[in-house]
Amino acid sequence: MSEKKGLARAAEIYAKSEQYARELKNQGKKIAGYYCCYVPLEMLAAVDYVPVRILGDMNENITSADTYLPTVMCFFYRSCLDLAMKGKYDYLDAFFGAHSCDGAERVSYVWRSYLKYACNFNIDIPHTVHPPAIEYFKNQLEAMKETIEEKTGQKISDERLAAAITLYNKQRGLVRELYALRKADPPPISGTEVLQVLVAIMYMPPEEGNALLAEILEEVKNRPVTAQKKPRLLITGCLIDNISFTKLIEDSGFNVVMDDTAIGSRSFGHDVAVTGDPLGSLAERYLDKIVCPRTFRETGKNRAEDLENRFGYLRKFVEDWKADGVYLNIIRNCDPHGYEIPELKYYFEEMVNVPVLAIEQDYSTASLEPLRTRFQAFAENIE
Amino acid sequence: MFYRAGLDIGSSLAKAVILKDDEIMAYGIAPISGNFSRAADQVMQETLEKSGLRLEQLDIIGGTGLGASFIPYRFVKNTEVSCQSRGVHYLLPTARIVIEIGYQASRVIKITENGKVADCVVNDRCAAGSGRILQVISKVLQVPLTELGNMSLKSTNPVRFTTGCSVFAETEAISRIAEGAKVEDIIAGLHQAISLKISGMLEKIKLDGECAITGGGGKDAGLVKMLEKTLQKEMLLPAEPLISGAIGAVLMATEKTQEFEAAAKQEE
Amino acid sequence: MEEKKAKKRTSAKTLQTAREAGYFGKKMLANTRTAVEEGRPVAWSMVDWWLGVPICKAMGVEMVFPENWSAFCAASRTAEPNLEYSEMDGFPNTLCGYARNTLGYARKLKDNNYVIPPDSPGGGLPKPNFLLGCGAVCDARYKWFQAMGRYMDVPVWMLEFPQVGYKEYYLPGNKEKTIKFLVDELKAFVAFLENLLNKKLDMNKLSELVQIMFQTNKIAHEVDLLRKAVPSPMVSQDFWAVMTAHFYLADDLEAQAFYQRVYDEVKHRVDNKIGAIPNEKYRMLFAELPPWHTLGFFDEMAEKHGIAFVFESWNYHVPSPLTAEERHGISDPLELLARFSYHKFHEMAPVAREHDIDPIIFVAPYLNYVKEYRGDGLMGHPLLSCRPATYTLMHVRNLLMEKFKVPSVIVEGDIIDLRVFNEEEAYTKMDAFIETMDYHRELRKKAGLDW
Amino acid sequence: MIFAGLDIGSTITKIVIRDENEILAALINPTGAQHRQLAHKITEAALKKANLTIDQIDYLIVTGYGRVNVPFADRQMSEITCHMRGINWLFPNVRTIIDIGGQDSKGIKVVNGKMRNFIMNDKCAAGTGRFLEVIADSLGLKIEEIGEIALRSTHPADISKICTVFAEQEVLLRLSEGVPLEDILYGLHLSMAKRIHALVGKIGIEKDVVVTGGGALNNGLFKCLEERIGFPLHRPAKPLLTGALGASILAQEYVKKAQAEGSLPDKKERKLRAVTFFDGDSAETEVAKGSG
Ligand SMILES: Nc1ncnc2c1ncn2[C@@H]1O[C@H](COP(=O)(O)OP(=O)(O)O)[C@@H](O)[C@H]1O
Ligand SMILES: Nc1ncnc2c1ncn2[C@@H]1O[C@H](COP(=O)(O)OP(=O)(O)O)[C@@H](O)[C@H]1O
Ligand code: SF4
Ligand code: SF4
Ligand code: SF4
């Protein structure tokens, strides 16, 4: 790939992520594919795997996956498996699935029933954050560690793990710094650009990703602001991994300023504590700190309290990033997010006092255009 | 001499075929035009005429299709999937996969070496991927159905449709034209949309062995080419793709009659 | 709505005992209503494969199962208004039909100041003291109950239920650590209950219930074993009727006695080679959840084609009893429960390992059943509104074909929503499928498979 | 000041020209294949009727499915906002709007004149105006008459197929079976009303409910909807025009707001140009004949 810098480089890696990963592989790197934000990347980086986030492709018609999966399941993971069956992930040396939601779990099992990799582990993630659950999750990570050590012949020593933790904490910190810049009105970086950056670093070795992030921070701070003031939008819900989507939203009259999604703040929100028990810290951060509807939190004494417990962080997002509206993104057939639609709407509309647009979408660029009217109407309503 | 007839009263066309022993003597095709029994009768009379037979000379009549229950004679009724598999097997014995593209429904059938159904995928709730859109678009663009294929083959840049719905595809095609898209690209785009839908169905049963196209879609050279391109496989094509169902209806009816007679004999 | 003619069961020989089964569903519902009148606690619970329910029972809590009640609503075709209610509140209609049915009902209950609305199916469910969700198998099992907070304002507890792939299952130490986790979680649950209900759990009482439960499940397992007989002594239609007794009321002595009678009747049939359907020509398996609103379909298939549905969804079936070895030296009833439920989910790990496939649940059981029950085909019933029981159907279908040359027919439908089950279409598909089964029987013969 | 709202729907194009107090001209015409060309023609015709010239329009908002391609409009707005504004102006008490258009059906929830929630069906033709158009077409009937015919039914037939294409065939089957036309049509309207009810039900139906869009002109459908929903519904006298009306009101509000802030809104160059799309264009539409 060319020698572009900063945002331009991020945009390029985003656009050619597969090619980029294959080039890394040709340079002799080992590539580990992983599902969702619950797989501790530190453990992969500790044996010099380049962790690559498994993504779908909204541009690609889902065909091959239909042999293995029914049409009623989450379109995102259907798309991921479809790509895999078409050979687009055949460069992987290792594969890490996770029981983040049922869809993810079943797909990773189906996946590995047909495609075999040198190293393979599925993490069962408990659904609560009770102390025994964190202990259980730590046991799972222990088992994952043993599997990796056995398959790669390398030891994941506490030192290597600690170094990897530092590296990723750095990365998360840099991303948060970038997010903080978006508090300005108008934001100096668009939602589309941010998405390109995040996807790019999810394909890069962490050191390189960090270097690129630093470069980008400088660039964004120093370039003239060209964006117009527009209603400010917080996106929450299912992940968005394609810029056609963010473009559509921003073209319809919004500035996307903050998100609560898996390719976004959920992946970069919290650091891993540096302690003498790295696995324990990892378990804590990944199970407890990531806030995702797939994890059950105690419901508390009454409903208002429960809602504030569960969604309070979103209120802070709205306040800190001065969001004028919330887009609740639901990929069709997503259960964890689907069950929360009424609660979230109620929370934002009645308790935080900010309007919400909820859309169930099909994870396909072909069906994006009809959504334009909805975003436009939503923007017009906020003005 | 053994005369048998099969009728396939589909959703847009009525098809009839008469076999003399195991040879096709004559066949006919007539539009339904909103009246199933009239179409059935018309196509039957036409075919009888061609074969020089009278109705009474027929030993067995088999029927199938959406409107089969309107066939105004005594006949043996059969399911469409089985009829297609028998019919295609009769015409193209090496085929193991049948892609049938009809007016409202498309089907993919896997057949055994003796023409029985080994598996099938049917698109029966949503008409996306069926042949109806071709008929509609030919009317809208004033391109005869028979010309669609040639037009499509000229296209270099098929339009990508954003809708799957076979009704909205019409509206979308029209607005694409308004935006300046070429007619051949629109038609090729529709062919592509149908092909993708079919290839999705095929994924469910795996494409191995020779593959035949039948039903009205088989008449459309552009669609056939596009399917070959999408599936990366050459297709077998019956000389007359419309009548395989009717042939199957004869064969199935014969099977059933024989079974019935055998059972009757046993009881005696 | 189209009213299908109720088909008379003419030829299928329904079990005598199956006709008594309806009593148990009603008993469960009535028990909770009496409990409320008497001021005793009530809970709505997810199916949790016998993990937390006996504990609640030992604490004097009456349990009802919204899944079971929703199936009842579907069968009596009374679910539709509830579905509409839940959609109106913004729940997507792709969510679990059982969930939408009870969410709609819960809203009505709330609107009615928690007095059961008079027209409620089966007499309705009373307002619970708490909700018991479960993490096994399905996200809806806890998201649904969490969402119910909208209407109920009562605490929700979530039982953990680890489920791992076969490779992970066989990692050294994994199983015992997991059991320990389950026990710890159950202890936390007990603490929650004790705190909520303000009383102590009586361990002896619990032990007693666990023993009853094990015994009921043992009988149920033996009935399952009997069903391997040719001709099949009992078909799915009957199983779905009698299942309530072991699945939901395993700790109930009356239900146990009933299941014993079921066993006796099935045994009698096997001994005398009496088939459940008159002319068994094909033996089919069914996966996963049935169209509760149109069970008559199966009788029709039996009559028309001689199809006996000989075995069905793994999840309704009990596992084999825990071995003496596994139980050895364990007196803590919590640990026994943990082991039993874990056993239910991982019992088929050897099958998964043999074929190098995953997941264990939902897939491996069918690879086992198809041989044991000599299945000629599988009817897969992908549900519009339940993904957990649908995710793996295509996978199962591929595997049955690849490993055993057993074909599957896929008929789309739903557990609740009768609008999406097209009977006509289902009949057509089955007609064509008969040929498919004939053909594969020959293939199996050629391949040296013995059925 | 003069304001205009132009609504280029998937099926029908509408325009409303008003001054601050009253409607000066309103026209309705089929959209056909050429949005842009028609846009300028219908605008011309409406101007003529109002005795105005194009540069006398102070602000023009375009909305509807074909809104993206109108070079002389000052601003585009979504049809959701425009319909809502138009209806809200006619029916200040409205809480729920049901808009049945050619390409989609919508439900809009209104609270204090603001959109609170909305829902749309635009993936599948079943449940939209297209559904009835296709059926009417295959029966050789006019879209205007099928609703009335349906109302003559005494025993509505059950139409089980949802898909437009499958329903079209089912209708033919039923006809062949000898089921009377009016019963079949009633069944179709009922099934469509069911779908729309289910769609709008998702955002909660609260009184007052106003039905608008071309579908509201269909008495059969309107009655079926009332039956399904269970209480009387309202509809404007000219349901086709509410989008264009709303657009013209929004135009006025927009200008007023800008003036209050001491600025003038950006205006596009006002030149009506014909844009040709393809040669041999035979589908020349006659402008200015509808009334609505
Ligand atoms: N010559 C042709 N070229 C292209 N398409 C054709 C031709 N003849 C028929 N068709 C298509 O085939 C369809 C009818 O196919 P058929 O298999 O008879 O369906 P059915 O059995 O449902 O009536 C028509 O709707 C039309 O779209
Ligand atoms: N006189 C009428 N009677 C019944 N239906 C009508 C009539 N006029 C138009 N329609 C229906 O209205 C639809 C168009 O409505 P409209 O609101 O203009 O939609 P759009 O804005 O998408 O063009 C047509 O599809 C047709 O079904
Ligand atoms: S979109 Fe929902 S169902 Fe899909 S992977 Fe994400 S959480 Fe799971
Ligand atoms: S999308 Fe179109 S083709 Fe499909 S069901 Fe709807 S109307 Fe029919
Ligand atoms: S398994 Fe299916 S039916 Fe059961 S609760 Fe989950 S989604 Fe509902």
Side-chain angles (χ1 to χ4, degrees), chain D residues 23 47 83 86 107 143 147 164 184 265 278 280 285 291:
Chain D
I23 293 178
L47 283 166
H83 270 296
I143 184 77
T164 315
I184 295 176
F278 53 94
T285 31
S291 61

Side-chain angles (χ1 to χ4, degrees), chain C residues 165-166 170 348-360 364 367:
Chain C
Y166 88 82
Y170 284 109
M348 294 289 171
V351 181
R353 177 155 70 172
E354 179 193 335
H355 295 289
D356 189 18
I357 51 96
D358 265 310
I360 303 173
L367 296 182

Side-chain angles (χ1 to χ4, degrees), chain A residues 284-303:
Chain A
E284 175 113 18
R285 188 267 173 186
Y286 279 90
L287 182 59
D288 191 12
K289 293 284 164 45
I290 298 177
V291 181
C292 167
R294 55 88 43 212
T295 305
F296 179 88
R297 313 253 164 191
E298 289 334 66
T299 54
K301 295 231 160 35
N302 62 51
R303 179 161 169 240

Side-chain angles (χ1 to χ4, degrees), chain A residues 100-119:
Chain A
S100 41
C101 68
D102 264 12
E105 188 219 24
R106 294 314 141 76
V107 173
S108 40
Y109 284 140
V110 171
W111 187 308
R112 80 176 191 191
S113 295
Y114 298 92
L115 303 169
K116 313 279 177 187
Y117 300 96
C119 177

Side-chain angles (χ1 to χ4, degrees), chain C residues 181-197:
Chain C
F181 165 49
L182 272 170
V183 174
D184 287 346
E185 275 293 323
L186 287 181
K187 284 184 184 149
F189 176 49
V190 171
F192 161 81
L193 282 181
E194 291 183 336
N195 183 26
L196 181 77
L197 305 174

Side-chain angles (χ1 to χ4, degrees), chain D residues 111 135 167 185 196 212 215 228 268 281 292:
Chain D
V111 177
I135 303 278
L185 284 177
I196 295 173
T212 188
R228 280 293 293 183
K268 291 276 164 60
D281 169 13

